[in-house]
C-alpha cells in the first residue's frame, strides 16, 4: 500500500475513534499546506482535510479537525499571508471535522453548516460507534441552511451546497466557481477501504450516489477536488468512486431481491473481487450500510 494512503487511512481510523482521539498526543502532528489555486489552499493534518479561501475580504475555513490542532492550523493560515478566520464552514457534524469549532468560535469566526449539523452537534451522538458529547453553544453553527448558501468573497463565488447528503444527513460540498475547486467533505474518501455511510447519522448510500452525481455534473475535467480524507483528486477519480458505489449497490440489491437478510448478504461476500485495500471501512461494514440504505429507501 502507498505510504501516503496508509497514513491517511490510519489517521482516519484514529480520527473516528473518540477514545483514541481523547488519548492521542497531537504534538507530533504537522499541518502541511498545498496551494491549489490563487487564494485557495488545502491543509492536511489529522482529521478531515481543511479548505481555505483567503484574500482581501477575509479568510474562509472549511472544516477544522481537532481542538488541540487549532494553534497549528492558525499558524499555517498565517503562513499563507491570510488574516484570522472570519467564516468557518462545516461539511458535516463529525468531530474530526468540527473539533476546532469551539476555539474558532471563541476567536470570532461565524460558523455555517446545514441545519442537521447544528441539531446533531447540539444533541451529541455517535460516529463509527463512538460517543460524541453535546457541543457547547460557541461551537455550534450560527448560520444554517437546508439547501445551501453563497458567499461572495475574495473575488470568487463560494457555493455551499446540500443535495441530500449521503455520508450523513447534513453533508455539504463547497464549490469555488471561478477557482474551479470543490471540497467534498466525507462524501468522498481517497484512501484505502470503502466509503463510510454513517447510517446512525442519517447517512444513506443512495443519497450519496445522488449527491455525487450532482457534483459530477457541476464540475469539469480541470476541477481540483478536495476529498474529506486523502490527497488531492480530480473529476475522473470522483467518477470512478461513484461508479464503485453503484456497483456495490447493484450487487447488494440483487442479494436482497433473492430474499437474503442483511447478515446473509454480508456472509455472501459480494465484494470479494474488489481490490480496495485495508482501510477504516471494510467490505462487510460497507455491504451492511448499503443494505440498510436500500431498506430505508425502499430499494
Amino acid at each position: 500500500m502507498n505510504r501516503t494512503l496508509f497514513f491517511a487511512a490510519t489517521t482516519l481510523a484514529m480520527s473516528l475513534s473518540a477514545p483514541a482521539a481523547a488519548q492521542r498526543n497531537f504534538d507530533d502532528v504537522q499541518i502541511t499546506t498545498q496551494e491549489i489555486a490563487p487564494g485557495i489552499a488545502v491543509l492536511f493534518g489529522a482529521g478531515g482535510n481543511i479548505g481555505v479561501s483567503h484574500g482581501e475580504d477575509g479568510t474562509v475555513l472549511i472544516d477544522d479537525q481537532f481542538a488541540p490542532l487549532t494553534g497549528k492550523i492558525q499558524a499555517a493560515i498565517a503562513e499563507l499571508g491570510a488574516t484570522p478566520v472570519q467564516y468557518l464552514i462545516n461539511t458535516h457534524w463529525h468531530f474530526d471535522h468540527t473539533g476546532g469549532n469551539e476555539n474558532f468560535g471563541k476567536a470570532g469566526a461565524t460558523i455555517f453548516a446545514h441545519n442537521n449539523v447544528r441539531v446533531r452537534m447540539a444533541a451529541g451522538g455517535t460516529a463509527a460507534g463512538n460517543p460524541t458529547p453535546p457541543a457547547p453553544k460557541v461551537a455550534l453553527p450560527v448560520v444554517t441552511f437546508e439547501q445551501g448558501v453563497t458567499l461572495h468573497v475574495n473575488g470568487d463565488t463560494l457555493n455551499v451546497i446540500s443535495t441530500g447528503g449521503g455520508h450523513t444527513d447534513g453533508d455539504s460540498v463547497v464549490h469555488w466557481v471561478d477557482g474551479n475547486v470543490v471540497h467534498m467533505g466525507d462524501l468522498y474518501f481517497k484512501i484505502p477501504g470503502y466509503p463510510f455511510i454513517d447510517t446512525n447519522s442519517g447517512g444513506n448510500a443512495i443519497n450519496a450516489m445522488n449527491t455525487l452525481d450532482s457534483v459530477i455534473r457541476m464540475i469539469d475535467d480541470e476541477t481540483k477536488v478536495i476529498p474529506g480524507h486523502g490527497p488531492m483528486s480530480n473529476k475522473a477519480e470522483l467518477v470512478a468512486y461513484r461508479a464503485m458505489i453503484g456497483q456495490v449497490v447493484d450487487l447488494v440489491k440483487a442479494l436482497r431481491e433473492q430474499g437474503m437478510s442483511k447478515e446473509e448478504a454480508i456472509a455472501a461476500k459480494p465484494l470479494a473481487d474488489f481490490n480496495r485495500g485495508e482501510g477504516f471501512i471494510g467490505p462487510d461494514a460497507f455491504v451492511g450500510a448499503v443494505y440498510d440504505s436500500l431498506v430505508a429507501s425502499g430499494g
Side-chain angles (χ1 to χ4, degrees):
M1 182 187 300
N2 179 280
R3 289 182 62 188
T4 300
L5 293 183
F6 177 80
F7 176 78
T10 302
T11 298
L12 177 60
M14 293 189 69
S15 297
L16 290 174
S17 170
Q23 297 168 13
R24 182 177 179 183
N25 182 352
F26 287 91
D27 291 346
D28 61 345
V29 174
Q30 294 184 341
I31 303 297
T32 60
T33 303
Q34 183 177 347
E35 296 188 67
I36 54 179
I40 305 173
V42 59
L43 307 181
F44 304 97
N49 294 334
I50 296 173
V52 183
S53 168
H54 63 96
E56 62 181 3
D57 298 320
T59 300
V60 183
L61 200 67
I62 296 97
D63 290 341
D64 53 26
Q65 299 189 355
F66 295 100
L69 297 176
T70 299
K72 293 182 180 183
I73 293 167
Q74 290 170 327
I77 291 167
E79 289 176 4
L80 288 169
T83 57
V85 175
Q86 185 174 357
Y87 304 113
L88 170 61
I89 300 166
N90 293 145
T91 60
H92 61 290
W93 82 281
H94 286 160
F95 51 82
D96 61 319
H97 294 255
T98 63
N101 274 27
E102 182 175 1
N103 294 334
F104 283 105
K106 288 179 177 177
T110 300
I111 305 174
F112 294 70
H114 187 275
N115 295 332
N116 290 339
V117 173
R118 180 180 173 94
V119 170
R120 291 192 179 278
M121 289 185 67
T126 60
N130 293 285
T132 302
K137 181 179 178 181
V138 70
L140 297 175
V142 174
V143 180
T144 62
F145 52 83
E146 187 62 29
Q147 294 182 318
V149 65
T150 298
L151 282 67
H152 301 277
V153 293
N154 302 325
D156 209 330
T157 300
L158 273 67
N159 287 326
V160 187
I161 306 164
S162 174
T163 61
H167 171 60
T168 70
D169 60 7
D171 301 307
S172 296
V173 299
V174 182
H175 183 215
W176 284 259
V177 175
D178 298 320
N180 201 14
V181 174
V182 63
H183 192 307
M184 296 298 301
D186 280 1
L187 286 158
Y188 177 31
F189 284 0
K190 190 183 173 183
I191 58 174
Y194 291 86
F196 177 25
I197 305 298
D198 185 2
T199 55
N200 287 330
S201 297
N204 185 291
I206 310 305
N207 293 344
M209 290 194 300
N210 292 337
T211 295
L212 291 169
D213 287 340
S214 296
V215 174
I216 289 166
R217 288 192 296 268
M218 183 175 67
I219 64 178
D220 60 38
D221 292 341
E222 303 302 318
T223 303
K224 296 178 176 67
V225 178
I226 304 172
H229 296 266
M232 286 295 300
S233 188
N234 53 45
K235 181 178 181 178
E237 291 177 338
L238 186 64
V239 168
Y241 186 82
R242 160 60 178 89
M244 178 272 296
I245 297 174
Q247 285 180 291
V248 177
V249 169
D250 288 344
L251 288 170
V252 176
K253 185 175 182 179
L255 297 179
R256 260 181 52 79
E257 290 174 346
Q258 294 173 28
M260 287 192 184
S261 67
K262 176 180 171 179
E263 292 72 24
E264 290 169 335
I266 293 171
K269 302 294 182 185
L271 308 189
D273 293 334
F274 285 62
N275 182 20
R276 294 194 57 82
E278 294 185 13
F280 167 63
I281 299 297
D284 289 354
F286 188 46
V287 168
V290 170
Y291 193 101
D292 288 342
S293 298
L294 288 165
V295 171
S297 301

